[in-house]
C-alpha cells in the first residue's frame, strides 16, 4: 500500500473527536444537539429529523412520507481501491459508529488490504443530508486519518442516496474520495449451512414471551436473532442429514472431519460462511451443550450443538436451544465468553454481568434466574460493535485465530489479589524436568481453606473455560495457553469440605492456539487462574519446569518427530483418524516403529491405543458414514504397555492421566464383551492407586470412577 492517495491512519492512532473547528458552522448546532445521544427510540428519532421540533413541525412530519434510514452498508471504488463502508447512526439500535474495509481490485482479482473503524463520531443532520465527521483507527499506516461522509436523505419512495466519502489529512488536505452506493441495511452478510444428525430434532424458533425475560416478546429464529444485531444470516438451504450409528457420540476429531466432508462451502481461507451441526451427544456427555470445535488451521468455521443436553419442546428447552445455537455461532464470529474477555488479543475487561448471548447464565450475578429475567435475547453493545464494526479479519470466519482481535484493552489478570476471601487454593503441579518434545501435562488441584463447605464447579481443565494458564518462556516472553478446542459446558457443582477437601484434573498444555508452547530448551514458569462461581479469581503459585536439550542423535530424531503442531493437535485430541491428520499419524508411526526403546515412544502408543479403543466415524460428503470399528485387543495391548511404564515411580504418565487410560481400557473391553478383562483392569487400577498411599477421599473417588466405568459389572 504505497499509494499517496490511500486513506489510512497513523500507526497507534486512537479514535477520537473530530476537530470541530473544521466543521461548517451550519452543522455545529446539529452536532451539539446530538452529543451524548446514544440510545434508541424517540430521542434519536427526533435528533435525526433535524432542526424544528416544535409542535407545528412535528404535526407536519406526521403527514409527510417517512424517510429512509441511512444506516447500513455501502460500496464504492476509486481507481483500483474498493471501499466497503458501514454506517451505523440510525435505524434499529444505532451505535453511532462508522467502519469499513478496503480491497484492491486488479483485473479479475480482489484482495483485502485493511480495515478502519471510528467509535466517536460527530453527526450533523439537516432535512436534506446526514453528515458524519470522524477520526478513524485503522489496521494499516495512514496519512489521511479523518473522514467526512455526506449521505443525502431520501424518502422510502425514493432510491437510497449514495455516500460521499472524503478522506482528509490532519492538515485538512483532501485525500481520496469515494462515491459509495447503498448495498444493504445489514452491516455484514453470512451464509449459514446446517446439518442434522439422524434422530435429532433441531431448533426452529422460540417465543421470548413464553418465559420471564428482560426484552419484548417476539418469535426468534437464528436468522432474526442475528438481524437484531445488524447481521444478515442467509440459510443456504434445508439442513442436510448426517446418518450415524445409533447411540454414538462425537469426538472433537470426528467433528472436524465431518465439517470438512459435509460443509459444502468449506475452504481453508477467510470467508463469510459458517457450518452448524445439530448433533446428539459429545464424548464428554450430556453436560456439554455446544462447542465451537474449529480451532485448527483457518479457524472458526464450524460449531456444533448437542441435544442430549437440551432436547425437548418445552419453553425452557426451546430457550436453551436458541441460546446455545447463538452462543456457538457467536464464537465463530470471534466472540469470547463475556466473563473471559481478558484473554482475547488484545485484552479488554471481563463482563460477568453482561446480558449477552456470550455470557453463561449461571455466571451472572444472582445466578440463572436473575439472568433470564433480565436477558433481552441479544448481544450486548460491545459484542454488537464487534459484529458490526470489528476489523474484517478479526470477525470473518477463517480470519484471525479465535480470540485474536476480539478485544481492546489490557488487564493484569495473573497478578496475586491484594485480598483473597475466596476460601480456595489452586495448585499447579508437574514434573520439574521434561525432555525436548515430551508432551507437557500439568496437574491442577483446587482445595478449600475453610472448615465449612464451599460450593464450586469441578471444571479445572482449561478447555472448559474456567481455568487459564499463562506460560513464561525462557526468553521472558509470556503467552496465555488457549486450548485448541473450548467446551461450552454446564458446570457440575460440588461442595468442598472436610470430607471432600479438594478436586483434581490434568491437562496437556503443549499445544494451543499459540502454537507449540515448549519448543525450546530452558526454564519455563507457569501460573494459573481459576474463575469461581462467585466471580473470585483464585491464582496459583508459580510453577517452574525445565525442558532439557537433546543429548544424542536418537533424542534429536525423536524431538524432530514430536515438535510439530499437527502432532500437538493429535495429542490434544488423544488421537484422530481424520484424513487431515495423516501427516501427524505418520510421525507417530515412525516414533513407535523406529524408536520403540526411547522413553517418549510411550506417548505414541498412548495416542494410537486411545483412538483404537473406540469406533471412529468418518462422515464423508455424499457417502454413507464410514465407521472404523473399535480394535479393543490392539488398544489394550498398547495402553497396557503405557500403564506398565507409568506405574513405576517417577516415570510415564501422571496419576490423573493414568486414571483416564485405565477407564478407557475398561470401556474398550466392555464394548468387546470381555467383562472379565474389564474387571481385571478395574482391579489393577484400584491396586495401583492404593499402593501410592493416596488420601481416603481421593481413593474413594477413584473407586467410584472405576465402578462407573464397569457399569454394574460384578467385580467379585
Amino acid at each position: 500500500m504505497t499509494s499517496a492517495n490511500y486513506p489510512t491512519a497513523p500507526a497507534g492512532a486512537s479514535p477520537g473527536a473530530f476537530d470541530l473547528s473544521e466543521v461548517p458552522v451550519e452543522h455545529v448546532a446539529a452536532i451539539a444537539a446530538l452529543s451524548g445521544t446514544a440510545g434508541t427510540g424517540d430521542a434519536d428519532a427526533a435528533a435525526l429529523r433535524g432542526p424544528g421540533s416544535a409542535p407545528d413541525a412535528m404535526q407536519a412530519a406526521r403527514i409527510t412520507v417517512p424517510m429512509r434510514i441511512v444506516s447500513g452498508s455501502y460500496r464504492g471504488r476509486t481507481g483500483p481501491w474498493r471501499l466497503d463502508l458501514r454506517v451505523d447512526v440510525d435505524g434499529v439500535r444505532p451505535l453511532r459508529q462508522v467502519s469499513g474495509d478496503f480491497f484492491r481490485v486488479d483485473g479479475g482479482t480482489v484482495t483485502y488490504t485493511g480495515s478502519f473503524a471510528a467509535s466517536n463520531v460527530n453527526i450533523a443532520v439537516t432535512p436534506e443530508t446526514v453528515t458524519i465527521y470522524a477520526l478513524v483507527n485503522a489496521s494499516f499506516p495512514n496519512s489521511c486519518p479523518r473522514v467526512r461522509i455526506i449521505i443525502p436523505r431520501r424518502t422510502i419512495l425514493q432510491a437510497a442516496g449514495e455516500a460521499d466519502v472524503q478522506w482528509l489529512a490532519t492538515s485538512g488536505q483532501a485525500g481520496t474520495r469515494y462515491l459509495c452506493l447503498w448495498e444493504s441495511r445489514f452491516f455484514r452478510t453470512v451464509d449459514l449451512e446446517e446439518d442434522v444428525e439422524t434422530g435429532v430434532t433441531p431448533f426452529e424458533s422460540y417465543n421470548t414471551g413464553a418465559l420471564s425475560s428482560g426484552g419484548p416478546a417476539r418469535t426468534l429464529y437464528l436468522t432474526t436473532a442475528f438481524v437484531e444485531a445488524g447481521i444478515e444470516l442467509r440459510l443456504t438451504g434445508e439442513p442436510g442429514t448426517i446418518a450415524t450409528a445409533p447411540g454414538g457420540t462425537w469426538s472433537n476429531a470426528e467433528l472436524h472431519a465431518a465439517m470438512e466432508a459435509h460443509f459444502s462451502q468449506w475452504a481453508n481461507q477467510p470467508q463469510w460462511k459458517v457450518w452448524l451441526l445439530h448433533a446428539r451427544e459429545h464424548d464428554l456427555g450430556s453436560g456439554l451443550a455446544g462447542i465451537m470445535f474449529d480451532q485448527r488451521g483457518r479457524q472458526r468455521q464450524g460449531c456444533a450443538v448437542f441435544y442430549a443436553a437440551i432436547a425437548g419442546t418445552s419453553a425452557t428447552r426451546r430457550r436453551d436451544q436458541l441460546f446455545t445455537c447463538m452462543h456457538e455461532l457467536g464464537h465463530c464470529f470471534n466472540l469470547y465468553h463475556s466473563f473471559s474477555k481478558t484473554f482475547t488479543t488484545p485484552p479488554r475487561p471481563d463482563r460477568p454481568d453482561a446480558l449477552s448471548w456470550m455470557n453463561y447464565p449461571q455466571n451472572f450475578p444472582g445466578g440463572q434466574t436473575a439472568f433470564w429475567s433480565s436477558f433481552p435475547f441479544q448481544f450486548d453493545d460491545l459484542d454488537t460493535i464487534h459484529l458490526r464494526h470489528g476489523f474484517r479479519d478479526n470477525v470473518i470466519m477463517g480470519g484471525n485465530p479465535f480470540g485474536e482481535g476480539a478485544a481492546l484493552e489490557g488487564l493484569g489478570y495473573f497478578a496475586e489479589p491484594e485480598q483473597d476471601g475466596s476460601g480456595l487454593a489452586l495448585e499447579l503441579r508437574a514434573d520439574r524436568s521434561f525432555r525436548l518434545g515430551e508432551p507437557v501435562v500439568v496437574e491442577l488441584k483446587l482445595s478449600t481453606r475453610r472448615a465449612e463447605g464451599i460450593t464450586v464447579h469441578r471444571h479445572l481443565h482449561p478447555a472448559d473455560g474456567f481455568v487459564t494458564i499463562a506460560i513464561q518462556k525462557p526468553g521472558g516472553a509470556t503467552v496465555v495457553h488457549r486450548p485448541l478446542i473450548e467446551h461450552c459446558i454446564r458446570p457440575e457443582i460440588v461442595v468442598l469440605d472436610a470430607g471432600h477437601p479438594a478436586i483434581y484434573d490434568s491437562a496437556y498444555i503443549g499445544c494451543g492456539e499459540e502454537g507449540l508452547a515448549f519448543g525450546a530448551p530452558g526454564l519455563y514458569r507457569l501460573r494459573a487462574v481459576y474463575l469461581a462461581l462467585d466471580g473470585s479469581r483464585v491464582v496459583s503459585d508459580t510453577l517452574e519446569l525445565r525442558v532439557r536439550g537433546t543429548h544424542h542423535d536418537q533424542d534429536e530424531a525423536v524431538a524432530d518427530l514430536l515438535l510439530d503442531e499437527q502432532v500437538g493437535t493429535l495429542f490434544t485430541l488423544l488421537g484422530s483418524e481424520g484424513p487431515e491428520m495423516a501427516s501427524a499419524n505418520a510421525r507417530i508411526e515412525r516414533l513407535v516403529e523406529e524408536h520403540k526403546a526411547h522413553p517418549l515412544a510411550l506417548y505414541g502408543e498412548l495416542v494410537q491405543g486411545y483412538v483404537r479403543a473406540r469406533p471412529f466415524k468418518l462422515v464423508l460428503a455424499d457417502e454413507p458414514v464410514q465407521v472404523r470399528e473399535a480394535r479393543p485387543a490392539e488398544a489394550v495391548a498398547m495402553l497396557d504397555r503405557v500403564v506398565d511404564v507409568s506405574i513405576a515411580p517417577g516415570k510415564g504418565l501422571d496419576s490423573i492421566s493414568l486414571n483416564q487410560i485405565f477407564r478407557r481400557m475398561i470401556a474398550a473391553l466392555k464394548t468387546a464383551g470381555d467383562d472379565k478383562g474389564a474387571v481385571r483392569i478395574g482391579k489393577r487400577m484400584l491396586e495401583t492407586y492404593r499402593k501410592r498411599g493416596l488420601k481416603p477421599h481421593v481413593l474413594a473417588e477413584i473407586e467410584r470412577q472405576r465402578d462407573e466405568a464397569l457399569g454394574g459389572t460384578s467385580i467379585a
Side-chain angles (χ1 to χ4, degrees):
M1 289 178 279
T2 58
S3 170
N5 291 326
Y6 191 72
T8 57
S14 300
F18 199 92
D19 183 357
L20 294 183
S21 66
E22 299 176 13
V23 176
V25 66
E26 63 269 20
H27 287 168
V28 172
I31 291 171
L34 282 168
S35 296
T37 305
T40 59
D42 292 343
D44 271 358
L48 284 168
R49 277 194 292 269
S53 57
D56 58 336
M58 294 297 293
Q59 180 65 30
R62 292 192 187 98
I63 62 174
T64 59
V65 178
M67 305 298 288
R68 281 179 169 271
I69 64 169
V70 300
S71 290
S73 54
Y74 297 75
R75 176 174 293 179
R77 180 174 167 183
T78 297
W81 301 107
R82 191 186 89 194
L83 168 60
D84 288 2
L85 175 70
R86 294 178 291 275
V87 175
D88 185 2
V89 296
D90 61 356
V92 177
R93 198 180 172 190
L95 296 173
R96 299 174 63 86
Q97 311 260 326
V98 294
S99 62
D101 306 313
F102 284 103
F103 300 82
R104 184 173 176 109
V105 182
D106 297 290
T109 63
V110 179
T111 306
Y112 167 70
T113 56
S115 298
F116 71 90
S119 60
N120 190 353
V121 301
N122 293 306
I123 309 166
V125 181
T126 72
E128 292 78 31
T129 62
V130 173
T131 303
I132 301 165
Y133 301 91
L135 179 66
V136 307
N137 185 27
S139 65
F140 40 75
N142 189 359
S143 59
C144 293
R146 299 183 177 188
V147 65
R148 183 191 66 218
I149 304 168
I150 302 174
I151 305 173
R153 302 185 68 196
R154 298 283 189 261
T155 70
I156 60 172
L157 302 179
Q158 297 173 301
E162 62 183 4
D164 183 344
V165 183
Q166 177 66 65
W167 293 89
L168 302 165
T170 53
S171 64
Q173 181 180 0
T176 309
R177 181 186 179 197
Y178 292 83
L179 295 178
C180 298
L181 299 178
W182 166 271
E183 287 279 313
S184 170
R185 67 187 178 99
F186 298 106
F187 300 98
R188 283 175 163 134
T189 297
V190 178
D191 290 332
L192 171 64
E193 185 172 326
E194 298 175 273
D195 282 303
V196 182
E197 181 180 355
T198 303
V200 170
T201 301
F203 168 76
E204 290 187 2
S205 65
Y206 172 66
N207 183 338
T208 65
L211 297 168
S212 175
S213 76
R218 72 270 195 208
T219 298
L220 286 181
Y221 303 82
L222 296 183
T223 50
T224 55
F226 271 99
V227 164
E228 293 189 3
I231 305 299
E232 181 182 23
L233 197 67
R234 298 188 305 200
L235 303 180
T236 60
E238 290 296 319
T241 300
I242 295 181
T244 59
T249 59
W250 289 87
S251 69
N252 293 331
E254 289 171 337
L255 288 169
H256 200 281
M259 179 187 71
E260 292 194 11
H262 278 266
F263 186 11
S264 64
Q265 300 185 85
W266 181 85
N268 199 31
Q269 65 185 37
Q271 54 180 358
W272 295 106
K273 302 178 189 299
V274 66
W275 185 64
L276 171 60
L277 174 63
H278 302 271
R280 192 184 70 84
E281 187 171 3
H282 191 273
D283 283 352
L284 291 176
S286 60
L288 184 63
I291 185 172
M292 194 279 285
F293 59 83
D294 183 23
Q295 292 179 238
R296 301 190 319 221
R298 290 292 188 173
Q299 302 176 11
R300 303 185 284 103
Q301 298 183 79
C303 60
V305 172
F306 302 103
Y307 286 76
I310 54 177
T313 58
S314 68
T316 300
R317 289 300 198 182
R318 291 294 191 198
R319 183 182 69 183
D320 289 346
Q321 292 164 18
L322 169 63
F323 189 88
T324 305
C325 289
M326 292 296 295
H327 183 98
E328 301 309 328
L329 287 168
H331 283 322
C332 292
F333 282 89
N334 206 9
L335 285 172
Y336 251 44
H337 288 133
S338 301
F339 53 85
S340 56
K341 300 291 189 185
T342 298
F343 303 115
T344 58
T345 306
R348 73 181 180 198
D350 296 326
R351 305 197 305 278
D353 59 346
L355 291 168
S356 177
W357 296 112
M358 302 314 298
N359 207 351
Y360 275 3
Q362 61 270 16
N363 279 19
F364 190 78
Q368 296 190 49
T369 301
F371 176 84
W372 289 120
S373 64
S374 303
F375 181 49
F377 290 89
Q378 61 183 210
F379 295 101
D380 69 359
D381 281 356
L382 290 178
D383 284 341
T384 304
I385 288 170
H386 173 82
L387 293 172
R388 295 180 181 182
H389 303 290
F391 290 174
R392 173 189 178 269
D393 278 0
N394 294 339
V395 185
I396 190 171
M397 295 80 199
N400 287 337
F402 184 44
E404 185 172 317
L408 303 174
E409 304 171 47
L411 285 177
Y413 191 83
F414 291 89
E416 293 188 27
E418 294 184 13
Q419 296 181 339
D420 184 358
S422 68
L424 298 169
L426 180 67
E427 185 179 352
L428 271 181
R429 301 187 291 198
D431 291 339
R432 294 306 175 96
S433 177
F434 288 81
R435 295 172 182 267
L436 186 62
E438 182 175 0
V440 174
V441 176
V442 295
E443 293 186 26
L444 300 103
K445 175 186 176 183
L446 183 73
S447 57
T448 178
R449 291 172 169 168
R450 296 177 184 166
E452 68 272 20
I454 299 179
T455 302
V456 302
H457 62 78
R458 65 177 310 122
H459 303 287
L460 302 183
H461 198 290
D464 292 340
F466 298 105
V467 167
T468 305
I469 299 175
I471 304 168
Q472 185 182 60
K473 298 188 176 186
T478 299
V479 299
V480 175
H481 172 66
R482 292 181 174 137
L484 290 174
I485 296 169
E486 185 169 334
H487 304 132
C488 294
I489 201 159
R490 292 184 171 187
E492 182 181 347
I493 306 302
V494 296
V495 176
L496 299 184
D497 54 23
H500 185 217
I503 53 176
Y504 307 83
D505 206 342
S506 68
Y508 165 67
I509 60 169
C511 184
E513 292 179 37
E514 68 279 4
L516 294 173
F518 302 91
L523 182 67
Y524 293 78
R525 293 182 172 89
L526 285 68
R527 174 168 274 194
V529 177
Y530 169 88
L531 179 62
L533 288 172
D534 65 355
S536 298
R537 301 188 187 279
V538 185
V539 182
S540 74
D541 289 336
T542 298
L543 169 68
E544 292 188 352
L545 60 87
R546 184 172 295 278
V547 175
R548 306 194 304 271
T550 56
H551 298 292
H552 48 71
D553 289 347
Q554 189 181 37
D555 274 353
E556 191 166 331
V558 168
D560 284 344
L561 290 172
L562 292 174
L563 291 177
D564 175 82
E565 286 195 27
Q566 284 289 78
V567 171
T569 300
L570 206 61
F571 284 131
T572 300
L573 298 173
L574 283 172
S576 170
E577 297 188 6
E580 74 281 0
M581 300 304 296
S583 65
N585 279 313
R587 285 174 173 265
I588 293 297
E589 288 283 351
R590 287 185 58 195
L591 172 67
V592 172
E593 293 177 3
E594 299 175 13
H595 305 281
K596 188 176 290 290
H598 194 277
L600 299 190
L602 92 141
Y603 293 102
E605 291 199 291
L606 165 64
V607 166
Q608 290 181 329
Y610 204 88
V611 76
R612 284 168 170 75
R614 58 153 283 174
F616 192 94
K617 53 183 172 290
L618 281 175
V619 190
L620 302 176
D622 303 321
E623 295 182 28
V625 60
Q626 298 179 16
V627 179
R628 189 272 297 143
E629 296 298 332
R631 290 171 276 182
E634 290 181 41
V636 171
M638 291 175 172
L639 296 179
D640 246 339
R641 289 192 287 273
V642 174
V643 170
D644 287 341
V645 173
S646 300
I647 59 177
K651 294 185 178 180
L653 303 183
D654 64 278
S655 293
I656 298 172
S657 299
L658 183 60
N659 179 322
Q660 187 176 359
I661 296 303
F662 275 126
R663 286 184 284 156
R664 188 71 158 191
M665 294 166 69
I666 292 171
L669 291 168
K670 282 188 63 64
T671 300
D674 185 0
D675 285 354
K676 289 184 178 179
V679 169
R680 174 182 62 82
I681 297 297
K683 289 181 176 179
R684 188 184 188 194
M685 173 181 174
L686 208 54
E687 289 169 2
T688 296
Y689 290 105
R690 281 175 176 161
K691 290 178 181 177
R692 296 189 174 188
L694 302 178
K695 294 180 180 179
H697 77 275
V698 178
L699 275 175
E701 176 64 14
I702 291 172
E703 186 169 4
R704 184 197 67 78
Q705 292 172 336
R706 188 274 310 266
D707 294 344
E708 183 180 44
L710 286 170
T713 302
S714 173
I715 59 173

